[in-house]
Amino acid sequence: MRIIPTLLLLLCISVVQGQRVGLVLSGGGATGLTHIGVMKALEENGIPIDYITGSSMGALVGGLYAAGLSPTEIDSLFRSDIFKIMADGGIEPRYQYYFKQDAPDATLLSLRLDLDTTLQYSLPTNLREPALIDYEQMTEFGPVAALSGYDMDSLFVPYRCVASDITDQRSVVFNRGDLAQAIRASMSYPFYFKPIRVNGNLMMDGGLYNNFPSDVMYKDFLPDFIVGSNVANNSPPPSEDDLLGQLRAMMQERTRYEIQCENGVIVEPRTATSLFDFSDAALPIADGYAEAMRRMPEILAHVQRRVSPEDLDARRKAFRSRAPKMEFGEVRIHGLTRSQTRYVERSLYREGEVLTPASLKPKYFRMVADRNIAMLYPKATYRPEAQRFDLDLHVKTEKDLEVRFGGMFSSRPINTGMVGLRYNLFGRSSAHIEALSYFGKFYSAGQVKMRAYLSTKAPIYFEPLFTLHRWDHFRSFSTFFDEVKPSFIVIREAYGGMNVGMGLDNKGLLRYDIKYGETLDRYYQGIEFTGQDTSDVTKFRHLTTGLMIERNSLNRKQHPNAGESLMASLRLVSGDELTDPGSTRINKNVDYRSQHEWAVAKVTLDQYFLPRGIFKFGFLAEGVFSTMPMFQNYTASIIRSPAFQPTPESKTYFMEQFRSPKYIAGGVRTIIAVARNKFDLRLEAHVFQPYEPIVRGEDNAAVRGASFTDRYYLGSGSLIYQSPVGPVWFNLSYFDGVKEPWAWSLNFGYILFNQKAQE
């Protein structure tokens, strides 16, 4: 009779030891980070996780676990700086390629059009660029996918994820294939990340058709017990005026947020984190942990089997240690013509070179920075016989034509509109032709240029260009509509020439230029003039050539608060001056002619500190040494002198006191950045110290003053909002040396101009 109890005991032990637990993870964007806390709680209490299914963010979190990462390691990953950069659609600062960045302009909005589809324009399909997350997923999941033989049952934990096939309008379950590609397909949230193609079909977020794949868990794995972690729900029915709700209802199918068998518990964490707020992963992770611990007595009552943390760690180390080292053998380019393919190949590697993720990464993101490439998706496939990975790069070219709109809109009369056209040329080189126009009372300009990047070992571009522009410095700044004629100083410039640039690492640029141009300056020697008076006119035809070396990692083209810019340049100028005196001159001599030659050396350092905190600090240092001779009169000489313009507002004033052929200048900046770097309170103080300043002599002659006799100060305070389109800011400025030193303005847009001949 003792045999029967013994057999029953052995049967119970066998059932407990064979008890299998599945974990189902819903989608939910940033709220899905609660799944990490749920997994932490399960492991701390010895609850086994034998299978995982996930959708969208649940697919990513579950895929990391299935790849052999512990919940603690996953927690650390989502709190890291690189994840925050990925979530924002950015690129790590050290991989941003300055060499291929265009000269900054006032663009606020751009549209891309395709000429072979009869100018059908298309709006962007994604708010965040997925380049960094695509690359990191390839390098993270590639080795473990190879180790599993591309069978998701052979991962550290058998795994499934779902995606939405919007070509055939159905839900797709991934059980084999490339793990990185499957997860990327599942998490391609509409309009957030660009969708990708898998086997020819376009895949989007798994949550569109199945946001809680408990049915997949039950069908594929048939576990004894299911733990669900759910932060999603079905959207309420849309109203007649709810356009977004109507679109959501058309795209999504209703999901059953329930366990597909009797044995299961659904943990439903609640968190204050919003759908796309990845700034603080600690909050949702803690919320998920707390809710899982609240439900833990119920889970422990149903699951008798336990797994020790030590056993899990040993199994993880053993699993990941068998993963092959990622080295790339064959590289295949898809989606390009033969000449375009050759350009990409020569830019990425040289024949016989063995690529690793570390050596490929800077070159890869140089291609991402190319304006002729709209999308670059990497896929690594392991070849056991070669013990290396094949790298397939799926490339989509940018549309032929880009139209850009922008400008500056201000409470001051400096309002300027901007329209730009760019036509892409992609073949053996990556090139484009661009036309840019500014129009406004203060500044108007036109520029045509072409830039061609060569796929040489040392990256080089050639850029022929022609530019004409005009600055009209009014006598009065009272209102935008105030027609003050004639103007106080009008500066016109036209030039043509060539820029040649060479990339120095990721942040450096060496540029040589040669240009021939003509400036035409109209001005009065004072403020006492009438509409019947004629201005003095100085024409200067000149040839200029210069060499500049620059390192730039600033995070914005205007109002930066992180990074640095170091620029050093040497320029030679040779030309002929012709000055025609106007009616206000006391001594109305005949036209004055003179030949001038000089050299200019300039160094500027603009640097910011504490990029990750709320409080940021920066400083600016600038020095100029010029051998420029005096022109015929004081104003003509001042116009040609280098100017210190440390703030956007200072670029819109003609201030004699901040111009000199030789000077040193600098300042400090204190910035308080809040709301994820969207709002800046920016305070600046600068000092300008000219050496031998130009002073007004008898009959407005230009005379060198005594050294270090004058010093001027400039202050600025701005409250800046970095909107999705462009900056909006209120500014209060102090300019030393003028009758009314205080000025305020409310602005939207960019105060940026075309490159001058001597820049």
Side-chain angles (χ1 to χ4, degrees), residues 443 447 465 467 469 471 473 491 493 495 499 511 513 515 542 544 571 639-641 643 645 651 659 753-759:
Y443 179 68
Q447 184 180 73
L465 73 165
T467 303
H469 38 189
W471 288 264
H473 296 275
I491 302 171
E493 181 179 68
Y495 71 87
N499 294 323
R511 194 193 76 197
D513 69 78
K515 302 163 188 169
H542 61 282
T544 179
R571 178 164 298 281
I639 290 173
R640 296 271 66 82
S641 296
Q645 299 172 322
K651 293 177 172 64
R659 290 173 174 261
F753 311 127
N754 283 338
Q755 181 189 61
K756 298 179 182 178
Q758 295 181 29
E759 289 182 340

Side-chain angles (χ1 to χ4, degrees), residues 532-547:
Q532 286 71 43
D533 288 322
T534 59
S535 62
D536 291 7
V537 179
T538 296
K539 183 184 294 184
F540 183 54
R541 292 194 178 109
H542 61 282
L543 179 69
T544 179
T545 184
L547 188 66

Side-chain angles (χ1 to χ4, degrees), residues 167-432:
T167 303
D168 293 338
Q169 297 184 337
R170 62 188 181 92
S171 183
V172 174
V173 178
F174 289 100
N175 56 13
R176 296 189 59 83
D178 184 74
L179 181 60
Q181 188 181 54
I183 293 173
R184 172 66 167 81
S186 182
M187 57 182 288
S188 298
Y189 193 87
F191 308 117
Y192 195 80
F193 280 137
K194 191 182 290 289
I196 63 170
R197 289 194 179 275
V198 179
N199 300 324
N201 286 12
L202 203 59
M203 300 286 172
M204 292 187 77
D205 187 271
L208 294 179
Y209 296 148
N210 189 351
N211 207 26
F212 188 68
S214 63
D215 56 335
V216 177
M217 172 66 72
Y218 189 74
K219 179 181 178 181
D220 282 27
F221 299 124
L222 197 62
D224 301 294
F225 190 81
I226 295 176
V227 176
S229 179
N230 175 45
V231 290
N233 52 58
N234 290 310
S235 302
S239 66
E240 294 85 347
D241 301 321
D242 183 6
L243 177 60
L244 291 179
Q246 294 169 20
L247 291 173
R248 189 186 303 115
M250 286 189 290
M251 294 176 65
Q252 287 183 318
E253 291 185 3
R254 297 184 69 82
T255 295
R256 294 176 62 188
Y257 294 100
E258 58 187 37
I259 299 298
Q260 298 293 304
C261 65
E262 295 181 358
N263 298 322
V265 170
I266 299 181
V267 180
E268 295 184 303
R270 293 295 175 259
T271 180
T273 300
S274 60
L275 186 64
F276 297 123
D277 184 8
F278 293 94
S279 60
D280 184 11
L283 176 62
I285 292 172
D287 291 335
Y289 179 84
E291 181 62 19
M293 292 301 292
R294 191 181 72 82
R295 302 293 301 274
M296 194 55 63
E298 184 179 354
I299 297 172
L300 291 171
H302 285 86
V303 180
Q304 287 74 44
R305 177 171 154 244
R306 299 290 182 266
V307 177
S308 70
E310 294 77 16
D311 179 54
L312 275 175
D313 288 342
R315 286 173 49 212
R316 284 192 179 102
K317 289 178 182 177
F319 175 78
R320 293 182 68 86
S321 67
R322 292 185 284 113
K325 181 180 179 181
M326 183 168 271
E327 290 183 345
F328 301 106
E330 186 177 353
V331 179
R332 296 184 289 263
I333 312 297
H334 306 272
L336 300 180
T337 66
R338 181 176 298 179
S339 59
Q340 292 169 344
T341 299
R342 183 61 177 157
Y343 171 80
V344 173
E345 289 174 343
R346 288 177 58 84
S347 299
L348 287 175
Y349 66 97
R350 293 292 183 261
E351 191 173 348
E353 180 182 5
V354 176
L355 292 173
T356 65
S359 64
L360 173 65
K361 192 170 184 178
K363 300 174 183 177
Y364 178 87
F365 284 102
R366 290 176 185 182
M367 293 308 306
V368 170
D370 195 297
R371 295 288 298 275
N372 275 318
I373 292 178
M375 189 182 76
L376 194 60
Y377 182 78
K379 182 180 178 183
T381 306
Y382 188 63
R383 283 194 297 131
E385 67 278 7
Q387 295 187 341
R388 284 185 179 170
F389 288 81
D390 289 344
L391 177 62
D392 290 277
L393 290 177
H394 299 269
V395 187
K396 184 177 180 181
T397 59
E398 192 52 89
K399 292 180 171 58
D400 299 325
L401 187 65
E402 180 183 13
V403 184
R404 305 200 304 272
F405 304 94
M408 173 65 187
F409 307 93
S410 174
S411 60
R412 289 178 51 229
I414 55 173
N415 293 267
T416 306
M418 189 215 81
V419 175
L421 293 174
R422 176 192 182 107
Y423 183 72
N424 291 322
L425 302 166
F426 192 16
R428 292 186 175 274
S429 66
S430 177
H432 65 266

Side-chain angles (χ1 to χ4, degrees), residues 644-681:
F644 178 58
Q645 299 172 322
T647 65
E649 294 77 20
S650 63
K651 293 177 172 64
T652 65
Y653 291 95
F654 185 87
M655 293 181 290
E656 303 173 11
Q657 67 274 29
F658 289 97
R659 290 173 174 261
S660 177
K662 305 180 185 70
Y663 67 80
I664 54 174
V668 293
R669 294 165 171 143
T670 300
I671 303 165
I672 303 174
V674 295
R676 298 185 67 191
N677 233 10
K678 295 298 183 183
F679 286 91
D680 283 0
L681 176 61

